[in-house]
PDB file of all heavy atoms in Angstrom:
ATOM      1  N   THR A 247       0.817  -1.209   0.000  1.00  0.00           N
ATOM      2  CA  THR A 247       0.000   0.000   0.000  1.00  0.00           C
ATOM      3  C   THR A 247       0.854   1.263   0.000  1.00  0.00           C
ATOM      4  O   THR A 247       0.500   2.253  -0.653  1.00  0.00           O
ATOM      5  CB  THR A 247      -0.947   0.005   1.216  1.00  0.00           C
ATOM      6  OG1 THR A 247      -1.765  -1.168   1.148  1.00  0.00           O
ATOM      7  CG2 THR A 247      -1.844   1.218   1.233  1.00  0.00           C
ATOM      8  N   GLU A 248       1.982   1.241   0.700  1.00  0.00           N
ATOM      9  CA  GLU A 248       2.841   2.423   0.755  1.00  0.00           C
ATOM     10  C   GLU A 248       3.358   2.801  -0.631  1.00  0.00           C
ATOM     11  O   GLU A 248       3.411   3.983  -0.982  1.00  0.00           O
ATOM     12  CB  GLU A 248       4.020   2.201   1.717  1.00  0.00           C
ATOM     13  CG  GLU A 248       3.618   2.119   3.172  1.00  0.00           C
ATOM     14  CD  GLU A 248       3.035   0.766   3.583  1.00  0.00           C
ATOM     15  OE1 GLU A 248       3.223  -0.242   2.861  1.00  0.00           O
ATOM     16  OE2 GLU A 248       2.360   0.724   4.628  1.00  0.00           O
ATOM     17  N   ASP A 249       3.747   1.793  -1.428  1.00  0.00           N
ATOM     18  CA  ASP A 249       4.202   2.070  -2.796  1.00  0.00           C
ATOM     19  C   ASP A 249       3.056   2.655  -3.634  1.00  0.00           C
ATOM     20  O   ASP A 249       3.258   3.581  -4.418  1.00  0.00           O
ATOM     21  CB  ASP A 249       4.737   0.806  -3.463  1.00  0.00           C
ATOM     22  CG  ASP A 249       6.084   0.365  -2.903  1.00  0.00           C
ATOM     23  OD1 ASP A 249       6.741   1.180  -2.207  1.00  0.00           O
ATOM     24  OD2 ASP A 249       6.476  -0.799  -3.149  1.00  0.00           O
ATOM     25  N   ALA A 250       1.872   2.109  -3.467  1.00  0.00           N
ATOM     26  CA  ALA A 250       0.707   2.612  -4.205  1.00  0.00           C
ATOM     27  C   ALA A 250       0.427   4.063  -3.828  1.00  0.00           C
ATOM     28  O   ALA A 250       0.137   4.893  -4.699  1.00  0.00           O
ATOM     29  CB  ALA A 250      -0.512   1.736  -3.925  1.00  0.00           C
ATOM     30  N   GLU A 251       0.519   4.378  -2.540  1.00  0.00           N
ATOM     31  CA  GLU A 251       0.304   5.752  -2.092  1.00  0.00           C
ATOM     32  C   GLU A 251       1.354   6.698  -2.659  1.00  0.00           C
ATOM     33  O   GLU A 251       1.032   7.830  -3.035  1.00  0.00           O
ATOM     34  CB  GLU A 251       0.297   5.813  -0.567  1.00  0.00           C
ATOM     35  CG  GLU A 251      -0.934   5.171   0.038  1.00  0.00           C
ATOM     36  CD  GLU A 251      -0.857   5.001   1.553  1.00  0.00           C
ATOM     37  OE1 GLU A 251       0.246   5.194   2.131  1.00  0.00           O
ATOM     38  OE2 GLU A 251      -1.893   4.678   2.151  1.00  0.00           O
ATOM     39  N   ASP A 252       2.599   6.247  -2.724  1.00  0.00           N
ATOM     40  CA  ASP A 252       3.668   7.068  -3.308  1.00  0.00           C
ATOM     41  C   ASP A 252       3.390   7.355  -4.783  1.00  0.00           C
ATOM     42  O   ASP A 252       3.581   8.483  -5.259  1.00  0.00           O
ATOM     43  CB  ASP A 252       5.027   6.384  -3.163  1.00  0.00           C
ATOM     44  CG  ASP A 252       5.550   6.388  -1.731  1.00  0.00           C
ATOM     45  OD1 ASP A 252       5.004   7.146  -0.891  1.00  0.00           O
ATOM     46  OD2 ASP A 252       6.502   5.633  -1.461  1.00  0.00           O
ATOM     47  N   ILE A 253       2.964   6.336  -5.499  1.00  0.00           N
ATOM     48  CA  ILE A 253       2.660   6.505  -6.926  1.00  0.00           C
ATOM     49  C   ILE A 253       1.495   7.470  -7.099  1.00  0.00           C
ATOM     50  O   ILE A 253       1.538   8.380  -7.938  1.00  0.00           O
ATOM     51  CB  ILE A 253       2.357   5.146  -7.589  1.00  0.00           C
ATOM     52  CG1 ILE A 253       3.635   4.307  -7.628  1.00  0.00           C
ATOM     53  CG2 ILE A 253       1.755   5.334  -8.978  1.00  0.00           C
ATOM     54  CD1 ILE A 253       3.414   2.850  -7.976  1.00  0.00           C
ATOM     55  N   LEU A 254       0.452   7.291  -6.299  1.00  0.00           N
ATOM     56  CA  LEU A 254      -0.711   8.163  -6.395  1.00  0.00           C
ATOM     57  C   LEU A 254      -0.340   9.607  -6.059  1.00  0.00           C
ATOM     58  O   LEU A 254      -0.789  10.543  -6.721  1.00  0.00           O
ATOM     59  CB  LEU A 254      -1.827   7.672  -5.470  1.00  0.00           C
ATOM     60  CG  LEU A 254      -3.158   8.409  -5.577  1.00  0.00           C
ATOM     61  CD1 LEU A 254      -3.696   8.381  -7.003  1.00  0.00           C
ATOM     62  CD2 LEU A 254      -4.158   7.817  -4.608  1.00  0.00           C
ATOM     63  N   GLN A 255       0.504   9.790  -5.068  1.00  0.00           N
ATOM     64  CA  GLN A 255       0.965  11.134  -4.719  1.00  0.00           C
ATOM     65  C   GLN A 255       1.709  11.763  -5.898  1.00  0.00           C
ATOM     66  O   GLN A 255       1.530  12.945  -6.196  1.00  0.00           O
ATOM     67  CB  GLN A 255       1.869  11.092  -3.495  1.00  0.00           C
ATOM     68  CG  GLN A 255       2.346  12.455  -3.062  1.00  0.00           C
ATOM     69  CD  GLN A 255       3.202  12.406  -1.808  1.00  0.00           C
ATOM     70  OE1 GLN A 255       3.514  11.348  -1.283  1.00  0.00           O
ATOM     71  NE2 GLN A 255       3.589  13.559  -1.331  1.00  0.00           N
ATOM     72  N   GLU A 256       2.515  10.984  -6.586  1.00  0.00           N
ATOM     73  CA  GLU A 256       3.240  11.495  -7.755  1.00  0.00           C
ATOM     74  C   GLU A 256       2.269  11.867  -8.880  1.00  0.00           C
ATOM     75  O   GLU A 256       2.461  12.875  -9.571  1.00  0.00           O
ATOM     76  CB  GLU A 256       4.260  10.470  -8.238  1.00  0.00           C
ATOM     77  CG  GLU A 256       5.077  10.913  -9.431  1.00  0.00           C
ATOM     78  CD  GLU A 256       5.983  12.119  -9.164  1.00  0.00           C
ATOM     79  OE1 GLU A 256       6.312  12.405  -7.994  1.00  0.00           O
ATOM     80  OE2 GLU A 256       6.350  12.786 -10.144  1.00  0.00           O
ATOM     81  N   VAL A 257       1.226  11.066  -9.052  1.00  0.00           N
ATOM     82  CA  VAL A 257       0.201  11.378 -10.059  1.00  0.00           C
ATOM     83  C   VAL A 257      -0.422  12.740  -9.753  1.00  0.00           C
ATOM     84  O   VAL A 257      -0.542  13.596 -10.635  1.00  0.00           O
ATOM     85  CB  VAL A 257      -0.886  10.282 -10.109  1.00  0.00           C
ATOM     86  CG1 VAL A 257      -2.095  10.737 -10.928  1.00  0.00           C
ATOM     87  CG2 VAL A 257      -0.321   8.993 -10.666  1.00  0.00           C
ATOM     88  N   TRP A 258      -0.809  12.953  -8.491  1.00  0.00           N
ATOM     89  CA  TRP A 258      -1.434  14.230  -8.124  1.00  0.00           C
ATOM     90  C   TRP A 258      -0.449  15.380  -8.265  1.00  0.00           C
ATOM     91  O   TRP A 258      -0.826  16.485  -8.671  1.00  0.00           O
ATOM     92  CB  TRP A 258      -2.014  14.181  -6.710  1.00  0.00           C
ATOM     93  CG  TRP A 258      -3.155  13.214  -6.577  1.00  0.00           C
ATOM     94  CD1 TRP A 258      -3.328  12.301  -5.582  1.00  0.00           C
ATOM     95  CD2 TRP A 258      -4.276  13.050  -7.449  1.00  0.00           C
ATOM     96  NE1 TRP A 258      -4.478  11.587  -5.794  1.00  0.00           N
ATOM     97  CE2 TRP A 258      -5.087  12.019  -6.939  1.00  0.00           C
ATOM     98  CE3 TRP A 258      -4.679  13.664  -8.634  1.00  0.00           C
ATOM     99  CZ2 TRP A 258      -6.265  11.605  -7.540  1.00  0.00           C
ATOM    100  CZ3 TRP A 258      -5.852  13.241  -9.246  1.00  0.00           C
ATOM    101  CH2 TRP A 258      -6.628  12.234  -8.706  1.00  0.00           C
ATOM    102  N   TYR A 259       0.806  15.146  -7.929  1.00  0.00           N
ATOM    103  CA  TYR A 259       1.813  16.192  -8.086  1.00  0.00           C
ATOM    104  C   TYR A 259       1.947  16.588  -9.561  1.00  0.00           C
ATOM    105  O   TYR A 259       1.949  17.781  -9.899  1.00  0.00           O
ATOM    106  CB  TYR A 259       3.167  15.743  -7.535  1.00  0.00           C
ATOM    107  CG  TYR A 259       4.251  16.748  -7.801  1.00  0.00           C
ATOM    108  CD1 TYR A 259       4.344  17.908  -7.044  1.00  0.00           C
ATOM    109  CD2 TYR A 259       5.165  16.547  -8.833  1.00  0.00           C
ATOM    110  CE1 TYR A 259       5.320  18.857  -7.305  1.00  0.00           C
ATOM    111  CE2 TYR A 259       6.137  17.494  -9.106  1.00  0.00           C
ATOM    112  CZ  TYR A 259       6.211  18.638  -8.340  1.00  0.00           C
ATOM    113  OH  TYR A 259       7.173  19.577  -8.618  1.00  0.00           O
ATOM    114  N   GLN A 260       2.046  15.589 -10.426  1.00  0.00           N
ATOM    115  CA  GLN A 260       2.171  15.874 -11.863  1.00  0.00           C
ATOM    116  C   GLN A 260       0.922  16.588 -12.384  1.00  0.00           C
ATOM    117  O   GLN A 260       1.011  17.518 -13.181  1.00  0.00           O
ATOM    118  CB  GLN A 260       2.415  14.579 -12.645  1.00  0.00           C
ATOM    119  CG  GLN A 260       3.754  13.938 -12.361  1.00  0.00           C
ATOM    120  CD  GLN A 260       4.923  14.777 -12.820  1.00  0.00           C
ATOM    121  OE1 GLN A 260       4.857  15.472 -13.814  1.00  0.00           O
ATOM    122  NE2 GLN A 260       6.012  14.721 -12.066  1.00  0.00           N
ATOM    123  N   PHE A 261      -0.244  16.135 -11.943  1.00  0.00           N
ATOM    124  CA  PHE A 261      -1.503  16.765 -12.356  1.00  0.00           C
ATOM    125  C   PHE A 261      -1.542  18.231 -11.915  1.00  0.00           C
ATOM    126  O   PHE A 261      -1.898  19.109 -12.692  1.00  0.00           O
ATOM    127  CB  PHE A 261      -2.679  15.985 -11.766  1.00  0.00           C
ATOM    128  CG  PHE A 261      -4.023  16.507 -12.186  1.00  0.00           C
ATOM    129  CD1 PHE A 261      -4.454  16.385 -13.493  1.00  0.00           C
ATOM    130  CD2 PHE A 261      -4.866  17.100 -11.262  1.00  0.00           C
ATOM    131  CE1 PHE A 261      -5.699  16.858 -13.883  1.00  0.00           C
ATOM    132  CE2 PHE A 261      -6.104  17.582 -11.634  1.00  0.00           C
ATOM    133  CZ  PHE A 261      -6.529  17.463 -12.948  1.00  0.00           C
ATOM    134  N   SER A 262      -1.138  18.496 -10.675  1.00  0.00           N
ATOM    135  CA  SER A 262      -1.177  19.866 -10.167  1.00  0.00           C
ATOM    136  C   SER A 262      -0.126  20.753 -10.826  1.00  0.00           C
ATOM    137  O   SER A 262      -0.242  21.973 -10.794  1.00  0.00           O
ATOM    138  CB  SER A 262      -1.000  19.901  -8.650  1.00  0.00           C
ATOM    139  OG  SER A 262       0.310  19.533  -8.286  1.00  0.00           O
ATOM    140  N   SER A 263       0.898  20.148 -11.423  1.00  0.00           N
ATOM    141  CA  SER A 263       1.958  20.908 -12.074  1.00  0.00           C
ATOM    142  C   SER A 263       1.598  21.344 -13.491  1.00  0.00           C
ATOM    143  O   SER A 263       2.316  22.151 -14.087  1.00  0.00           O
ATOM    144  CB  SER A 263       3.251  20.081 -12.129  1.00  0.00           C
ATOM    145  OG  SER A 263       3.700  19.833 -10.823  1.00  0.00           O
ATOM    146  N   LEU A 264       0.501  20.826 -14.014  1.00  0.00           N
ATOM    147  CA  LEU A 264       0.085  21.243 -15.349  1.00  0.00           C
ATOM    148  C   LEU A 264      -0.211  22.733 -15.332  1.00  0.00           C
ATOM    149  O   LEU A 264      -0.829  23.242 -14.404  1.00  0.00           O
ATOM    150  CB  LEU A 264      -1.162  20.481 -15.799  1.00  0.00           C
ATOM    151  CG  LEU A 264      -0.982  18.982 -16.001  1.00  0.00           C
ATOM    152  CD1 LEU A 264      -2.328  18.320 -16.269  1.00  0.00           C
ATOM    153  CD2 LEU A 264      -0.031  18.705 -17.142  1.00  0.00           C
ATOM    154  N   THR A 265       0.222  23.432 -16.350  1.00  0.00           N
ATOM    155  CA  THR A 265       0.042  24.877 -16.373  1.00  0.00           C
ATOM    156  C   THR A 265      -1.345  25.276 -16.847  1.00  0.00           C
ATOM    157  O   THR A 265      -1.826  26.345 -16.508  1.00  0.00           O
ATOM    158  CB  THR A 265       1.090  25.545 -17.280  1.00  0.00           C
ATOM    159  OG1 THR A 265       1.018  24.979 -18.583  1.00  0.00           O
ATOM    160  CG2 THR A 265       2.476  25.370 -16.704  1.00  0.00           C
ATOM    161  N   ASN A 266      -1.994  24.432 -17.626  1.00  0.00           N
ATOM    162  CA  ASN A 266      -3.303  24.787 -18.159  1.00  0.00           C
ATOM    163  C   ASN A 266      -4.218  23.576 -18.106  1.00  0.00           C
ATOM    164  O   ASN A 266      -4.268  22.788 -19.040  1.00  0.00           O
ATOM    165  CB  ASN A 266      -3.169  25.315 -19.584  1.00  0.00           C
ATOM    166  CG  ASN A 266      -4.457  25.922 -20.090  1.00  0.00           C
ATOM    167  OD1 ASN A 266      -5.458  25.962 -19.382  1.00  0.00           O
ATOM    168  ND2 ASN A 266      -4.440  26.393 -21.308  1.00  0.00           N
ATOM    169  N   LEU A 267      -4.961  23.431 -17.025  1.00  0.00           N
ATOM    170  CA  LEU A 267      -5.848  22.280 -16.862  1.00  0.00           C
ATOM    171  C   LEU A 267      -6.976  22.267 -17.877  1.00  0.00           C
ATOM    172  O   LEU A 267      -7.564  21.226 -18.127  1.00  0.00           O
ATOM    173  CB  LEU A 267      -6.422  22.259 -15.445  1.00  0.00           C
ATOM    174  CG  LEU A 267      -5.422  22.057 -14.322  1.00  0.00           C
ATOM    175  CD1 LEU A 267      -6.142  22.051 -12.982  1.00  0.00           C
ATOM    176  CD2 LEU A 267      -4.636  20.785 -14.492  1.00  0.00           C
ATOM    177  N   SER A 268      -7.275  23.405 -18.477  1.00  0.00           N
ATOM    178  CA  SER A 268      -8.352  23.455 -19.458  1.00  0.00           C
ATOM    179  C   SER A 268      -7.999  22.665 -20.717  1.00  0.00           C
ATOM    180  O   SER A 268      -8.869  22.352 -21.521  1.00  0.00           O
ATOM    181  CB  SER A 268      -8.714  24.892 -19.808  1.00  0.00           C
ATOM    182  OG  SER A 268      -7.626  25.548 -20.404  1.00  0.00           O
ATOM    183  N   GLU A 269      -6.715  22.308 -20.895  1.00  0.00           N
ATOM    184  CA  GLU A 269      -6.314  21.484 -22.030  1.00  0.00           C
ATOM    185  C   GLU A 269      -6.766  20.039 -21.860  1.00  0.00           C
ATOM    186  O   GLU A 269      -6.798  19.276 -22.808  1.00  0.00           O
ATOM    187  CB  GLU A 269      -4.799  21.521 -22.213  1.00  0.00           C
ATOM    188  CG  GLU A 269      -4.278  22.872 -22.634  1.00  0.00           C
ATOM    189  CD  GLU A 269      -2.764  22.909 -22.714  1.00  0.00           C
ATOM    190  OE1 GLU A 269      -2.105  21.932 -22.318  1.00  0.00           O
ATOM    191  OE2 GLU A 269      -2.240  23.940 -23.170  1.00  0.00           O
ATOM    192  N   ILE A 270      -7.109  19.651 -20.634  1.00  0.00           N
ATOM    193  CA  ILE A 270      -7.566  18.297 -20.376  1.00  0.00           C
ATOM    194  C   ILE A 270      -9.045  18.238 -20.713  1.00  0.00           C
ATOM    195  O   ILE A 270      -9.871  18.894 -20.082  1.00  0.00           O
ATOM    196  CB  ILE A 270      -7.335  17.899 -18.908  1.00  0.00           C
ATOM    197  CG1 ILE A 270      -5.843  17.970 -18.600  1.00  0.00           C
ATOM    198  CG2 ILE A 270      -7.902  16.516 -18.629  1.00  0.00           C
ATOM    199  CD1 ILE A 270      -5.518  17.761 -17.149  1.00  0.00           C
ATOM    200  N   VAL A 271      -9.379  17.433 -21.707  1.00  0.00           N
ATOM    201  CA  VAL A 271     -10.749  17.385 -22.192  1.00  0.00           C
ATOM    202  C   VAL A 271     -11.643  16.610 -21.235  1.00  0.00           C
ATOM    203  O   VAL A 271     -12.702  17.054 -20.855  1.00  0.00           O
ATOM    204  CB  VAL A 271     -10.802  16.767 -23.604  1.00  0.00           C
ATOM    205  CG1 VAL A 271     -12.229  16.620 -24.080  1.00  0.00           C
ATOM    206  CG2 VAL A 271      -9.996  17.612 -24.559  1.00  0.00           C
ATOM    207  N   ASN A 272     -11.201  15.432 -20.807  1.00  0.00           N
ATOM    208  CA  ASN A 272     -12.038  14.596 -19.961  1.00  0.00           C
ATOM    209  C   ASN A 272     -11.153  13.850 -18.970  1.00  0.00           C
ATOM    210  O   ASN A 272     -10.590  12.822 -19.296  1.00  0.00           O
ATOM    211  CB  ASN A 272     -12.846  13.623 -20.814  1.00  0.00           C
ATOM    212  CG  ASN A 272     -13.854  12.857 -19.994  1.00  0.00           C
ATOM    213  OD1 ASN A 272     -13.859  12.927 -18.763  1.00  0.00           O
ATOM    214  ND2 ASN A 272     -14.720  12.130 -20.649  1.00  0.00           N
ATOM    215  N   VAL A 273     -11.081  14.347 -17.758  1.00  0.00           N
ATOM    216  CA  VAL A 273     -10.229  13.766 -16.728  1.00  0.00           C
ATOM    217  C   VAL A 273     -10.633  12.326 -16.444  1.00  0.00           C
ATOM    218  O   VAL A 273      -9.809  11.477 -16.197  1.00  0.00           O
ATOM    219  CB  VAL A 273     -10.281  14.617 -15.439  1.00  0.00           C
ATOM    220  CG1 VAL A 273      -9.537  13.927 -14.305  1.00  0.00           C
ATOM    221  CG2 VAL A 273      -9.702  15.989 -15.694  1.00  0.00           C
ATOM    222  N   GLY A 274     -11.923  12.013 -16.514  1.00  0.00           N
ATOM    223  CA  GLY A 274     -12.407  10.686 -16.146  1.00  0.00           C
ATOM    224  C   GLY A 274     -12.432   9.690 -17.280  1.00  0.00           C
ATOM    225  O   GLY A 274     -12.861   8.555 -17.081  1.00  0.00           O
ATOM    226  N   ALA A 275     -11.982  10.037 -18.450  1.00  0.00           N
ATOM    227  CA  ALA A 275     -12.024   9.111 -19.581  1.00  0.00           C
ATOM    228  C   ALA A 275     -11.260   7.836 -19.278  1.00  0.00           C
ATOM    229  O   ALA A 275     -10.121   7.876 -18.855  1.00  0.00           O
ATOM    230  CB  ALA A 275     -11.457   9.774 -20.826  1.00  0.00           C
TER     231      ALA A 275
END
């Protein structure tokens, strides 16, 4: 679980680092 949490944290970090979220058409696709 700790590795999974680390990976998920990195996903959120990368997502938050995007400069223009409006370029993402469908986050849930």
Side-chain angles (χ1 to χ4, degrees):
T247 302
E248 291 79 18
D249 288 345
E251 290 170 349
D252 288 346
I253 292 167
L254 186 56
Q255 182 178 4
E256 181 64 21
V257 168
W258 295 134
Y259 175 77
Q260 293 295 326
F261 183 69
S262 69
S263 296
L264 295 173
T265 56
N266 190 0
L267 295 180
S268 63
E269 293 176 353
I270 300 173
V271 176
N272 187 352
V273 173

